[in-house]
Amino acid sequence: MAERLSRTTLMSALVVVASLALVVMGLTAITDAGATASGGARAAAGSPAAVSQVAQGGSGQHAQGHAMAAAAPVPSGDDPDGDGYIPAIPPVTGVVPSTEIPPHRYFHEFQANCSVNHTGAVDPIVYPGQTGKSHNHTFMGNTTTNESSTTASLDAGGTVCRAPGDRSAYWMPTLYNGDQEVRPVGPQTIYYKAGVTDYRTVRPFPKGLRFVVGSPTQTVEQFRDHPGTVEGYECGESYHNFDFPATCPTSRDTQLNLRMQAPSCWDGKHLDTPNHQAHMAYPIVMGANQDVCPASHPVALPMIEFKMAWPVNGDMSQVRLASGTGHSFHYDFFNAWDDATLAAMVRHCVVGGLQCDARGYDQNNPGAGAALNADYELP
């Protein structure tokens, strides 16, 4: 009898130990899953997140000081439950990506000329409501952009873009030469282009759409091969640099230049997602001169291209970004355009196949007129 009880006790103990092991394994799996979700690096194959991450160069994570925090929800004005998803209300449904080849137009774009107005260690997309957790950023466009910016606050704010209707916020990591902050001087060129071949299908951004382009953790190879990279850093006659060049000509007119393009295909459902990228994707190349939005992100929006110029040259050995090396460059966009103004610019310049300036005027096609008046406002 005693031997039978001893065996029973031993078996019960083994069952308890095994159960505890399963619990620990389960908690570990949950923790790993949470970490994966926060970085977005292991999205299921074929999912919208996976499509977007592959399209954006395979990097959906941010570096220390700009990490995609997911440990605890952080409620914000546009995301009261803090889950990272901001739904589009109403969503855009029933869109099928166009595979048609439209009448040829060499250009289908307009410019937003916006100046730098402040810098700060805040990021209202990645770290809403929090200061000091992000690396330092250089802000263009909306003058009120801060850690607590929302669609409503930006819509009510001022702007240093040429068009008063462009109250959007644009930002990027601050550039330093040693310990000296270097800001771009004067209005910078931010292009709004057709990213798809059928430029006639491009529609305006929904108010409140926001996203991050690139990642501060990307390697030099990932930056070079990123679908948004155009030609890398340029200065003087030095081109195709995917980190800061060692030197730049000391001519007074020589500046460090960089162009980088954003994804232009939207899922139609979310103004933001937890990794700030999965709701956007780059077009898919279907053939020669045929770029089409993927079915997971069927809505064609303007393709934003930053064209930045920093007044720095000579010895570049001390030049760095607040996020790190030159290949850590990335940028953020938070749409707060006046709806009617943006719609007029997109319709006249992008859908109309023109090469417009910041008032929607194409000097090569003067007969087409302009979308905005001399004050850069709707007539």
Side-chain angles (χ1 to χ4, degrees):
M1 180 68 175
E3 183 180 355
R4 186 179 305 164
L5 287 173
S6 178
R7 289 178 179 176
T8 301
T9 301
L10 178 60
M11 290 298 293
S12 298
L14 290 173
V15 169
V16 169
V17 170
S19 299
L20 287 173
L22 288 172
V23 169
V24 171
M25 290 173 64
L27 289 174
T28 302
I30 291 171
T31 303
D32 289 345
T36 300
S38 69
R42 300 182 190 174
S47 71
V51 171
S52 180
Q53 286 157 13
V54 169
Q56 296 207 40
S59 180
Q61 295 178 316
H62 274 235
Q64 183 179 3
H66 201 134
M68 303 295 190
V74 179
S76 65
D78 287 342
D79 182 22
D81 63 2
D83 68 351
Y85 291 95
I86 301 177
I89 302 175
V92 176
T93 59
V95 176
V96 177
S98 174
T99 58
E100 294 185 20
I101 305 296
H104 176 69
R105 295 288 188 276
Y106 192 78
F107 295 103
H108 13 70
E109 65 184 45
F110 67 89
Q111 295 182 20
N113 296 140
C114 303
S115 298
V116 171
N117 56 78
H118 65 285
T119 62
V122 298
D123 188 321
I125 293 179
V126 178
Y127 286 112
Q130 304 170 75
T131 60
K133 295 195 71 173
S134 169
H135 52 248
N136 200 275
H137 286 105
T138 294
F139 292 89
M140 297 174 288
N142 200 293
T143 58
T144 69
T145 312
N146 61 28
E147 69 279 3
S148 301
S149 291
T150 63
T151 304
S153 73
L154 293 176
D155 198 37
T159 184
V160 285
C161 294
R162 281 211 170 108
D166 185 6
R167 295 184 288 273
S168 299
Y170 310 86
W171 64 94
M172 59 191 174
T174 298
L175 186 84
Y176 293 91
N177 189 2
D179 294 328
Q180 182 179 0
E181 182 181 289
V182 180
R183 297 188 184 187
V185 177
Q188 297 299 292
T189 301
I190 301 169
Y191 289 107
Y192 283 62
K193 302 181 177 183
V196 294
T197 299
D198 194 352
Y199 55 86
R200 303 168 301 180
T201 65
V202 176
R203 62 180 70 194
F205 290 117
K207 184 70 71 68
L209 181 76
R210 67 209 74 182
F211 52 77
V212 178
V213 182
S215 168
T217 64
Q218 62 204 357
T219 64
V220 66
E221 292 80 16
Q222 288 173 327
F223 180 52
R224 180 196 63 203
D225 299 335
H226 193 285
T229 296
V230 180
E231 293 178 339
Y233 290 99
E234 303 175 355
C235 62
E237 297 301 318
S238 178
Y239 304 98
H240 303 290
N241 299 292
F242 301 103
D243 207 336
F244 296 128
T247 61
C248 284
T250 55
S251 167
R252 184 175 60 182
D253 298 328
T254 299
Q255 299 192 82
L256 180 70
N257 298 279
L258 178 67
R259 296 163 59 192
M260 191 169 187
Q261 299 176 342
S264 59
C265 298
W266 179 44
D267 67 4
K269 302 173 184 177
H270 303 100
L271 301 178
D272 197 12
T273 44
N275 74 352
H276 316 296
Q277 295 183 335
H279 54 308
M280 301 296 297
Y282 285 89
I284 296 172
V285 178
M286 301 288 288
N289 299 317
Q290 189 179 23
D291 297 335
V292 178
C293 283
S296 59
H297 297 72
V299 184
L301 300 177
M303 182 271 285
I304 287 180
E305 178 183 306
F306 267 35
K307 185 178 181 181
M308 301 292 106
W310 293 272
V312 61
N313 55 38
D315 178 12
M316 303 284 286
S317 63
Q318 300 301 308
V319 173
R320 60 184 174 85
L321 292 170
S323 54
T325 56
H327 56 76
S328 71
F329 183 83
H330 57 287
Y331 65 86
D332 301 54
F333 169 68
F334 194 144
N335 176 46
W337 274 87
D338 170 70
D339 289 333
T341 304
L342 179 59
M345 293 290 281
V346 170
R347 180 174 60 251
H348 184 70
C349 302
V350 180
V351 176
L354 299 175
Q355 184 184 24
C356 295
D357 60 16
R359 61 180 289 253
Y361 177 75
D362 183 350
Q363 64 179 359
N364 295 313
N365 291 280
L372 307 179
N373 63 24
D375 296 321
Y376 298 88
E377 296 180 325
L378 287 172

